[in-house]
Amino acid sequence: MESRLKVLGHPVHPMLVMFPVGLFVTAVIFDLIDIVGGPDFLGEVAYWNITVGLIGGLLAAAAGAFDLLALPTGTRAKRVGLTHAAANVAVILLFAAVWAVRLNADSRAAGGALFAIEVVAVAILGISAWLGGELVDRLGVGVDPEHDLNASSSLRPPSATQRIGDVR
């Protein structure tokens, strides 16, 4: 299935997801360094990474919704897409909660509980990123108009007929 939202022939959603992923992961790294005694300004930088990551995440979600809504009901691609979307919503909500607590705090640094929430959010983000890869690489969503939207999981070895069909 080809992407419904493209710029200059390229799907928009994959172009946008790298920004919130990178910003959220970097925020967690900066917060970790700050917590273990690194420079105080890293907590502030992490806060701003989360701020921009939330904006980028909402833009990526909007672009992803175009492709998700176009997936045929009853396909494996639709199920994986819904799980991917739900995981990303959880990540956005968790980082939004961390951001809201830090917004009016005396210090924008993350404490132990906020950092734990960030780590959980990044773990969910890792799972969601794998699901996104499954959608694109295994199921061809957004990139291959003739790919099988019911292809088996990449965690399972392909059947003999799938291996023969992959030879091009």
Side-chain angles (χ1 to χ4, degrees):
M1 179 197 107
E2 277 193 80
S3 178
R4 301 283 191 218
L5 186 61
K6 293 182 175 187
V7 171
L8 301 174
H10 294 280
V12 173
H13 181 65
M15 287 190 261
L16 294 177
V17 297
M18 71 180 103
F19 295 107
V21 170
L23 289 162
F24 290 151
V25 170
T26 303
V28 173
I29 292 168
F30 286 171
D31 277 336
L32 175 62
I33 294 169
D34 182 43
I35 287 169
V36 298
D40 291 339
F41 74 89
L42 286 181
E44 180 82 18
V45 174
Y47 166 82
W48 286 107
N49 277 9
I50 292 169
T51 303
V52 178
L54 288 170
I55 294 166
L58 293 174
L59 292 172
F66 279 89
D67 291 336
L68 178 62
L69 293 173
L71 288 171
T73 304
T75 61
R76 180 167 175 269
K78 185 71 159 197
R79 291 187 304 275
V80 172
L82 288 169
T83 306
H84 172 70
N88 286 333
V89 167
V91 169
I92 292 294
L93 290 175
L94 289 169
F95 272 108
V98 168
W99 178 85
V101 170
R102 291 169 83 166
L103 177 64
N104 294 317
D106 292 335
S107 167
R108 295 257 170 94
L114 292 179
F115 181 72
I117 293 169
E118 290 177 8
V119 169
V120 168
V122 166
I124 295 169
L125 184 60
I127 293 166
S128 180
W130 183 86
L131 291 168
E134 187 78 356
L135 285 165
V136 173
D137 294 335
R138 186 70 174 177
L139 298 166
V141 173
V143 295
D144 187 351
E146 304 197 14
H147 205 80
D148 180 10
L149 295 177
N150 286 306
S152 63
S153 170
S154 60
L155 298 176
R156 294 187 191 112
S159 68
T161 55
Q162 287 173 322
R163 284 192 300 267
I164 292 169
D166 286 344
V167 177
R168 295 179 186 193

